[in-house]
Amino acid sequence: MVLRTIGALLTGVILSAGCGQALAETAHMPRVAFINPGFGSKGFWKDVSETMHAAAKQFGFEIVEFDSDRQWPLMAQNANRVFAMDPPPDYIIASNEHQQGGRIIIEANTRHIPIFMLLNDLTDEQKARLGHAGGKKLPYWIATLTPDNKKAGYDIARSLVVADEKLHPDETDRDICLLSLTGDWNTPASLDRIAGLDLALADFPVLDEKRRLVANWSYDEAYKRTAGWLPEGCLDAVWAANDDIARGAIAAIEDTGKVAGKDVVVGGLNWSAQGLKLVKEGKMTMTHGGHFLAGAWIMVMLNDFHNGVDLQGKGPNYSFPMQAITRDNVDLFQEKFGKRDWNIVDFTSFSLSGREQDDATYQFDLKHLFAAIKPDR
């Protein structure tokens, strides 16, 4: 477990008694405990962490981060560490990775600590049993921010059909032998992506799914699953739940002498640096994503709540779109964000705080991200 902190000076406001809006002034810099279910030093959750820290610095919050290295027992231990903090944090950000979020939400409410859920909401079954954000049972569960994973799963599958049709323009209605490599069977984001895949399988009957295997978000496991399948049957396309899985599949494909993007089309998700490179090389149809920016978006929302915006009245369940980076827009993205320096973005421009219109909504998308690049950058 790694604990990391970052801060900036601020005279802020804190939550008043009950689950009401932030009203009372305080001289201390508000502290946010982030229970990171992944690695803080690599991969997707590193990107989430970096965008969160960049936005926190602009808004003047201190982030105290507990990295769980994708181990749910360590995530549970980190939750205990958060609740043992003295003084307690002003806010908590957590995720329902491996469905571990329910207990964290309950403990936060017991201690009257406002909590925001990031990327993975509670499942419907959990909500039926425990309660909903802003409800009577869980008033300190302020809001949840999730990406549209179902659409992402669908779009990846559709991109495989389009790519295969371009490779075989004279073979109308040919069956596409599909290997589907999922993340896991528990995390809501994974389940939603699978749901999107299932919708695509119904809409595009040319996709002939031969196997659906769990790769646990891992390059190595994706390599093993793909290498194990290749001798058994045909393979024209790989649906991958994230870029690491796509990369592992591509490595296994190319170790057999096949060419990714020509013999087998592959689609992934995460906007990872490696994924962008493979898209540019034509080895991946797309890398869907942008959801690691949820680290920044949740800080925008937390800051707004801190300054009196009624997130529960406007929500409390917020969703933002993920978008595909393909060969059509990868150069533009890399030109702007190739260095992955999120400090060039003015995240304060996404805030609803101070706006008078009641119908103001968040614009968490690629278009507005480009528009928010600081003029001197």
Side-chain angles (χ1 to χ4, degrees):
M1 185 274 294
V2 178
L3 184 153
R4 297 181 290 129
T5 65
I6 187 170
L9 294 177
L10 174 76
T11 298
V13 290
I14 60 173
L15 186 70
S16 62
C19 80
Q21 300 171 359
L23 298 173
E25 292 191 2
T26 181
H28 84 278
M29 178 170 49
R31 290 195 307 162
V32 181
F34 172 39
I35 305 172
N36 183 350
F39 293 90
S41 59
K42 65 179 182 179
F44 170 75
W45 285 99
K46 173 179 181 289
D47 289 335
V48 174
S49 172
E50 288 180 346
T51 66
M52 183 184 297
H53 283 272
K57 184 176 181 181
Q58 292 182 23
F59 287 116
F61 287 82
E62 177 188 7
I63 303 291
V64 183
E65 181 170 337
F66 299 80
D67 300 328
S68 304
D69 302 346
R70 286 202 179 276
Q71 301 175 38
W72 73 260
L74 181 54
M75 185 176 166
Q77 292 173 24
N78 283 335
N80 291 338
R81 293 183 175 100
V82 168
F83 294 122
M85 289 173 66
D86 186 17
D90 297 290
Y91 300 99
I92 295 172
I93 296 174
S95 178
N96 195 31
E97 195 92 353
H98 295 288
Q99 299 191 26
Q100 295 298 303
R103 173 246 171 170
I104 298 173
I105 290 173
I106 291 172
E107 294 285 350
N109 273 264
T110 299
R111 291 164 172 78
H112 293 187
I113 303 173
I115 183 168
F116 292 73
M117 294 301 287
L118 176 67
L119 289 167
N120 285 296
D121 195 0
L122 296 195
T123 65
D124 290 341
E125 186 279 330
Q126 286 176 302
K127 289 179 181 178
R129 179 164 43 89
L130 302 176
H132 296 258
K136 292 182 179 180
K137 290 184 178 179
L138 302 171
Y140 283 83
W141 178 9
I142 305 304
T144 295
L145 178 66
T146 56
D148 190 348
N149 280 292
K150 186 177 293 186
K151 183 178 185 299
Y154 184 95
D155 287 350
I156 294 170
R158 180 174 57 185
S159 77
L160 301 175
V161 175
V162 172
D164 189 84
E165 288 176 346
K166 289 180 179 178
L167 291 172
H168 306 278
D170 299 325
E171 300 179 41
T172 58
D173 297 327
R174 90 183 203 108
D175 286 341
I176 302 170
C177 297
L178 175 68
L179 173 65
S180 302
L181 297 175
T182 69
D184 62 54
W185 292 117
N186 295 308
T187 301
S190 180
L191 298 175
D192 284 346
R193 290 175 203 173
I194 293 169
L197 167 62
D198 287 336
L199 288 174
L201 291 175
D203 285 350
F204 303 105
V206 294
L207 283 174
D208 182 11
E209 187 179 43
K210 298 297 184 180
R211 288 289 188 277
R212 181 175 297 188
L213 304 172
V214 175
N216 290 314
W217 312 107
S218 164
Y219 172 101
D220 292 335
E221 291 204 34
Y223 181 96
K224 293 175 184 177
R225 298 286 185 267
T226 307
W229 167 249
L230 280 165
E232 295 185 19
C234 65
L235 182 61
D236 301 311
V238 176
W239 181 96
N242 73 355
D243 285 352
D244 281 347
I245 292 173
R247 289 174 51 238
I250 288 170
I253 289 164
E254 296 193 333
D255 279 353
T256 67
K258 295 180 181 291
V259 179
K262 293 184 178 180
D263 299 313
V264 183
V265 293
V266 181
L269 184 152
N270 264 8
W271 286 9
S272 68
Q274 302 96 325
L276 293 168
K277 180 174 182 291
L278 290 169
V279 168
K280 191 166 184 176
E281 293 172 351
K283 295 184 178 183
M284 282 175 57
T285 60
M286 68 162 62
T287 174
H288 220 293
H291 54 315
F292 60 75
L293 284 155
W297 306 148
I298 200 71
M299 285 308 306
V300 172
M301 294 172 60
L302 190 152
N303 174 75
D304 284 354
F305 176 79
H306 193 74
N307 286 285
V309 175
D310 183 10
L311 293 183
Q312 292 183 338
K314 287 178 171 291
N317 301 308
Y318 294 80
S319 180
F320 66 96
M322 287 196 281
Q323 295 171 268
I325 292 182
T326 67
R327 296 188 83 173
D328 294 332
N329 60 358
V330 64
D331 288 337
L332 176 61
F333 183 85
Q334 289 190 313
E335 175 190 343
K336 301 295 185 182
F337 297 116
K339 295 181 180 179
R340 303 181 94 77
D341 178 9
W342 305 110
N343 295 302
I344 70 173
V345 179
D346 178 12
F347 289 111
T348 66
S349 67
F350 293 91
S351 173
L352 301 184
S353 180
R355 298 190 189 181
E356 295 182 2
Q357 60 269 36
D358 293 334
D359 59 347
T361 58
Y362 290 115
Q363 303 292 336
F364 296 151
D365 56 45
L366 192 56
K367 174 184 175 182
H368 288 85
L369 184 70
F370 284 139
I373 295 175
K374 298 174 184 177
D376 58 343
R377 303 302 181 97

